[in-house]
Amino acid sequence: MGDEVKFLRPDAIVEPLVDGFYAWLHMVAPVQAAMNLAFAHVPLLESYLQSPMVHINASRNPALRGGYFVSIEEDRSEEVRDLLAAIKRDRTELLDFAAAVAEAEELVRTTATGFDLTPLYAKLPPALSGLVEIAYDTSNQPAIRFIEPLVYQSSIYSEDRQSVQLSLETGVERPFVLSTPRLSSPDVLDLRIPFRHPGLEELFRSRVHGTTLNRLREMLELSDDEAAALSQLLADQPDLYGSRHIDDGARIRYFGHACLVLQTPQAAIITDPWVSADTSASGRFTYRDLPDYLDLALITHGHQDHVVPETLLALRGRVGTIVVPRPSRGNMADPSLALYLSHLGLPVVEVDDFSEVEFPGGTVIATPFLGEHADLDIRAKSTYCVKFGGRTIFVGGDSSGIDPGLYRYMRGHVGPVDMAFLGMECAGAPLTWLYQGLFTAPVTKKMSDSRTLSGSNAEQAAAIMTELGAREAYVYAMGEESWLGHVMATTYNEDSYQLKQVAEFMTWCADHGIKSDHLLGQHEWRW
Ligand SMILES: [Fe+2]
Ligand SMILES: [Fe+2]
């Protein structure tokens, strides 16, 4: 018993968690994780415990979708109380670190006035010793720079916080990941193991390469009950479609949101990996359609809908290299994607603007990404031009056309583009929606509302097309697919500004002889 070859079911899902919260970039990268825990999640849980019904009712109100409300029924509020107590008891070092960062930033704001910074080091809170440098820019504006690899090596980065929840996709929308911690439940298998655990690689490889329950049990050190729960996620045969590979030519498949799979018989590339596990639904590609091996995964930027930890963990053992843009190295708003993903046990390479990465039969050129980050100094963002199958594909992510001149330079470097994939979430969330925990100085609502996470509107998207000289335009990354709600929490209707802008852009494309489409669900191009 337990030695038969087994395969992970395509509808198995994993939610990686830190102290119960979804492990997106800013909950794992240690400086940002400390700030979010102290200044976003602890206050959020305290607010819930003061009046659970306010949170529950707000979570049910479509008009408040995407707000920071804890969607946990009142009869489970004692479990939330226990979670908060455990955080306050076990994470004092993180909470103290966040307080030290706030204190240091205040110190720098008030005393770094263009003169010698040497005396400030003695005044820094001891928790920051050895982990930061203070520097001016050439306008004499001071800032603290974190030496991020050292913070990962320090006790601020604790794998004790990490766990994974494994379950089967039900098709029912999960609670919003940025605001609702995950509690235990009989339907999920909780494993308190670090994300880089080799047993997770064995598990996720087994969608393609069979394993045995005994091997998983040994690697993951499972109890009898845990092994029985895990066996529910396994099947006797691999459940994969033969059409996941091609024998000739080239193909692009749209898997939803910003996830594309570019293929030839020799190679496969995935962009901003996010794959649905709901095999009971129609009109979408799922893990059944994913090629067995992905030579490259291209990440455009660190927003939680583009670096999706539940899919990235599921690629463990199936991806050659994850290509990520290099950050500014130390700016608090700009954590390293490479450090984050390597701590998830994934192979990573960093690229700068115009770095090239070869793959069998093609080349990826990293190209600049403009805006969409609430005017924060975030450099860990890149678009990509992929040359393969005789075509040049522009993978635009959420990069905006705020200054179309950029795309003229890009064309000068990479040549004309055949197919451009453009994000047009042009009424994005305000600054504080994603970054509130990082701010140690007040941000007014007016300031926050003026600085949004917005991609291109119609005029900007048209300007990008003109400058790139592209012949085909595909609008993607709009968060419209129904299965993205737990991460996107978007609410579109026919009056939504974004959708009207997409329609306006497509009219412009038609008027200018450019083929265009607004992608939703699944799509395929074959040549
Ligand atoms: Fe984004
Ligand atoms: Fe996005």
Side-chain angles (χ1 to χ4, degrees):
M1 278 289 285
D3 284 323
E4 304 87 7
V5 177
K6 296 281 183 183
F7 297 85
L8 182 65
R9 289 172 51 162
D11 55 346
I13 55 173
V14 58
E15 284 205 341
L17 306 173
V18 273
D19 287 330
F21 282 93
Y22 196 79
W24 80 285
L25 170 64
H26 283 234
M27 280 304 292
V28 176
V31 176
Q32 296 73 17
M35 299 300 281
N36 276 309
L37 188 70
F39 302 125
H41 288 139
V42 165
L44 177 70
L45 297 180
E46 285 173 341
S47 162
Y48 169 84
L49 288 168
Q50 263 178 8
S51 31
M53 284 315 297
V54 170
H55 280 256
I56 294 161
N57 289 334
S59 304
R60 289 178 186 147
N61 183 346
L64 297 175
R65 194 166 152 78
Y68 277 67
F69 303 106
V70 178
S71 177
I72 293 178
E73 293 304 316
E74 194 170 18
D75 62 4
R76 300 196 70 180
S77 61
E78 277 312 303
E79 293 169 69
V80 178
R81 195 177 303 282
D82 292 345
L83 173 64
L84 179 60
I87 289 171
K88 288 186 171 177
R89 182 189 64 230
D90 301 334
R91 308 300 172 217
T92 50
E93 199 175 359
L94 258 87
L95 299 172
D96 291 349
F97 184 83
V101 171
E103 183 188 332
E105 292 222 313
E106 177 67 13
L107 177 77
V108 166
R109 265 195 300 275
T110 52
T111 58
T113 52
F115 293 88
D116 179 19
L117 292 170
T118 311
L120 261 65
Y121 283 84
K123 295 178 185 166
L124 284 175
L128 302 191
S129 172
L131 300 176
V132 299
E133 184 172 28
I134 313 165
Y136 294 113
D137 66 14
T138 51
S139 299
N140 300 323
Q141 298 296 310
I144 294 174
R145 183 174 77 81
F146 294 87
I147 304 169
E148 198 179 5
L150 293 184
V151 190
Y152 269 96
Q153 285 176 33
S154 78
S155 52
I156 299 305
Y157 181 73
S158 165
E159 291 185 337
D160 283 356
R161 303 185 68 204
Q162 300 180 3
S163 66
V164 296
Q165 283 197 343
L166 297 161
S167 62
L168 290 174
E169 176 63 71
T170 61
V172 176
E173 184 173 302
R174 290 177 255 158
F176 182 43
V177 299
L178 296 187
S179 66
T180 298
R182 277 34 179 164
L183 304 174
S184 297
S185 111
D187 304 324
V188 302
L189 173 59
D190 277 290
L191 297 179
R192 291 211 67 86
I193 53 174
F195 305 142
R196 62 180 176 82
H197 195 290
L200 290 175
E201 181 156 328
E202 179 72 9
L203 178 65
F204 290 112
R205 262 172 54 87
S206 76
R207 278 211 167 100
V208 177
H209 307 283
T211 185
T212 68
L213 184 58
N214 280 347
R215 180 160 171 75
L216 289 170
R217 181 181 180 145
E218 188 182 317
M219 290 185 82
L220 293 164
E221 297 176 52
L222 303 180
S223 68
D224 288 350
D225 287 349
E226 288 170 337
L230 187 68
S231 72
Q232 302 299 308
L233 308 182
L234 305 175
D236 295 335
Q237 299 294 328
D239 190 351
L240 304 166
Y241 288 141
S243 55
R244 68 192 187 282
H245 299 131
I246 55 172
D247 295 328
D248 55 24
R251 180 172 77 185
I252 298 176
R253 279 179 159 184
Y254 171 71
F255 272 59
H257 198 57
C259 184
L260 305 166
V261 173
L262 289 59
Q263 283 177 279
T264 63
Q266 293 79 37
I269 292 181
I270 191 168
T271 70
D272 289 339
W274 194 358
V275 178
S276 171
D278 191 351
T279 50
S280 67
S282 59
R284 70 180 76 166
F285 294 120
T286 70
Y287 283 103
R288 284 174 172 156
D289 301 285
L290 200 63
D292 293 352
Y293 181 74
L294 298 151
D295 296 78
L296 301 175
L298 309 180
I299 304 288
T300 59
H301 62 300
H303 288 153
Q304 73 279 9
D305 53 318
H306 298 262
V307 178
V308 183
E310 62 187 78
T311 297
L312 289 162
L313 264 192
L315 296 185
R316 290 271 308 272
R318 292 180 61 177
V319 61
T321 306
I322 305 207
V323 178
V324 298
R326 194 186 302 282
S328 55
R329 299 181 70 227
N331 172 349
M332 184 151 65
D334 192 17
S336 162
L337 292 166
L339 287 168
Y340 169 67
L341 293 176
S342 59
H343 285 79
L344 264 65
L346 290 156
V348 193
V349 63
E350 278 186 337
V351 290
D352 290 308
D353 291 341
F354 301 118
S355 294
E356 297 192 9
V357 180
E358 306 284 332
F359 63 94
T363 306
V364 175
I365 306 166
T367 38
F369 179 129
L370 206 55
E372 208 264 323
H373 286 67
D375 300 324
L376 289 166
D377 183 13
I378 291 174
R379 322 271 178 87
K381 52 184 188 175
S382 181
T383 58
Y384 297 96
C385 286
V386 184
K387 291 177 182 271
F388 89 115
R391 294 193 189 185
T392 299
I393 316 300
F394 175 64
V395 178
D398 291 333
S399 183
S400 94
I402 194 168
D403 178 1
L406 168 74
Y407 299 88
R408 192 181 323 141
Y409 281 104
M410 215 183 272
R411 179 185 181 178
H413 191 95
V414 301
V417 164
D418 296 297
M419 302 165 74
F421 291 85
L422 304 176
M424 290 188 63
E425 206 328 4
C426 48
L431 167 68
T432 51
W433 182 73
L434 204 55
Y435 300 108
Q436 56 170 338
L438 305 183
F439 277 81
T440 60
V443 180
T444 63
K445 184 172 184 315
K446 201 171 171 186
M447 186 193 291
S448 176
D449 289 349
S450 83
R451 292 166 56 183
T452 61
L453 286 77
S454 289
S456 295
N457 61 21
E459 187 184 351
Q460 292 167 344
I464 291 174
M465 292 301 292
T466 302
E467 298 298 351
L468 286 179
R471 294 179 297 138
E472 298 176 27
Y474 300 102
V475 177
Y476 80 149
M478 299 290 287
E480 289 176 273
E481 283 83 10
S482 61
W483 70 89
L484 313 177
H486 62 297
V487 175
M488 300 298 297
T490 37
T491 46
Y492 290 127
N493 59 47
E494 64 268 27
D495 294 327
S496 296
Y497 171 72
Q498 296 95 321
L499 301 189
K500 289 187 165 173
Q501 287 292 301
V502 173
E504 190 177 315
F505 170 61
M506 289 177 64
T507 302
W508 178 89
C509 286
D511 291 346
H512 289 77
I514 293 171
K515 187 176 171 188
S516 70
D517 206 347
H518 173 181
L519 305 180
L520 182 67
Q522 73 179 71
H523 206 94
E524 180 173 311
W525 300 261
R526 190 79 166 89
W527 68 96

